[in-house]
Each structure stands twice: as C-alpha cells, then as structure tokens.
Amino acid sequence: MGLLDNVERGLEKMVRGAFTTGSRSQVQPVEIASALRKELDTRSMTLSEGRILAPNVFTARLSDADFKLAEQWGSALAEELCDVVIRHVNSQRYVLQGPVRVSFDHDPSLKPGSFEIDSAMEKKSRTRNPPLAPSRRPVHYQPVLELDGQRYSLNAGSIVLGRSAEADILVDDTGVSRRHLEIRSSGQNALAVDLGSTNGSYVNGQRVQGEAELTDGSIITMGRTRMTFRLIPGKDDQS
C-alpha cells in the first residue's frame, strides 16, 4: 500500500465520528481529498521542461451543516488534507510557490453533501489566514535501504547490489549473484530491476519479472538476504 493510501486511511479514521453520522448527504473527507488532487492536476501549468507549477492554497467551501462538522475537528482535519496535497505534489513532481494551506469556509448557497474547491498560487501566506487554515511545506523524501541493521542512502539514480566488490552495495550471500539487482530511483519513485540473477529477486514475496515498483516498506529478498526499502524525510525536513 502506498503512502497516499495510508494518509487517506488515517484521514477516514480520524474524522469518522464527525462526518459519518448516518446521513449520506454529508460531505465525506475522502471526497475532499480526491477533489484536492483533481484540482492540483487541473490547475497545474507547465513553466518549462520538467517544471510544472501547481496551486498551493486551497479553500473547501461547504454547506453550513458540513462546515459545522469540519469545525469539530478544527485544524487537525485541515492538516491531514495538507498531507494529501503534499503527497500528490511529490508523486507528480509539481513545484510550488509557497507552503501548502488548506482551509474551510461556509457557503450558504450549497446543499449538505456538496462542496466546491477554490485554489490559488501564492508565494507567501496572507497576514490573516482564513478559518481552519494551517500551512505546511512539502516534505521531500530520501530513498534508503535497511540491511543488517545498517541504512544505505540511495543518493544516485542507479545503485547495483551484488556479491561483487565492484557492486555499490556489497551483499555477502552465496545465493546472490555478483551483479544481482539494480535500484533505479528518481525522487521518491524507485524501481527494482533484476540483472539476470541466478536465483532471482523478490519484492514483497513476488518474483521480479524485469522490474518492480518499490514503495515505502517494500521487502526485497535476494538469496537468504532480506532488506527493506524506505522513504524518509530529508535532513532539511526533519525537526
């Protein structure tokens, strides 16, 4: 399961009591999360090759009844939605002009269960924030491998694992080929590529047929050796 899925599961669990009170006419938080991702994709613009600018400030306009529900959770709900935005920004490699901010406002013209998303691109937060509007900067993740109690930073686009001393990461295991597996990473996107190994490579128990996508927590098995692929916040993002 990917990082975004985990965020949305936590979002649903956190607000279940406030947003699920037996009425299907109320706005569901996952609907807002989906609308935020769609707004990012729809409103993004290409600045140059490889640079796509996306909005960073969002307002969810809710009916009076739904706004009262959102108020019960205050900034905690908005912070969870900020995480949804940040995950999507990172996964799509968008660039932002400033911190992400998600806020809520009530719109008397809307019926319970309906909502609208407004977005903007702002370099700085306004002096006075709209109600329930925390802001966060995008978190940049560093791919690493955890092996035998050690953590190896995957700070190059291509890292070769194997039994050869010429491998980038040496794996001392007779069941591992000299050049067994390559990990190709770009940002937080990574692939495991089997290099024609004798005994094969496995990701989460499934044999790698050519290549396999890696997500946070993926278990890589080579011979008798198991390692874990992780995405951790970069040094500048750790407090």
Side-chain angles (χ1 to χ4, degrees), residues 62-108:
L62 306 171
S63 69
D64 289 342
D66 287 321
F67 182 73
K68 289 180 181 178
L69 292 175
E71 281 187 309
Q72 293 182 29
W73 287 95
S75 61
L77 174 57
E79 287 173 358
E80 292 293 332
L81 290 170
C82 279
D83 283 342
V84 170
V85 171
I86 289 169
R87 302 292 191 194
H88 193 66
V89 165
N90 288 337
S91 69
Q92 300 300 312
R93 303 182 191 176
Y94 292 147
V95 295
L96 304 178
Q97 288 187 323
V100 172
R101 188 172 76 244
V102 176
S103 63
F104 302 92
D105 203 354
H106 56 92
D107 186 338

Side-chain angles (χ1 to χ4, degrees), residues 9 31 50 60 90 102-103 111 120 135 138 158 186 202 230 233:
R9 283 179 58 193
E31 294 175 336
N90 288 337
V102 176
S103 63
K111 297 180 180 180
S135 63
S158 171
S186 176
Y202 296 81
R230 294 288 188 191

Side-chain angles (χ1 to χ4, degrees), residues 145-163:
L145 271 184
E146 295 178 349
L147 170 63
D148 293 334
Q150 297 187 51
R151 178 173 284 177
Y152 298 86
S153 177
L154 304 178
N155 52 12
S158 171
I159 298 291
V160 173
L161 291 77
R163 195 159 42 88

Side-chain angles (χ1 to χ4, degrees), residues 111-124:
K111 297 180 180 180
S114 62
F115 65 95
E116 298 288 343
I117 299 291
D118 298 325
S119 64
M121 301 175 185
E122 293 185 7
K123 292 184 178 180
K124 296 181 180 179

Side-chain angles (χ1 to χ4, degrees), residues 233-239:
K235 292 182 179 179
D236 293 340
D237 298 306
Q238 295 176 336
S239 56

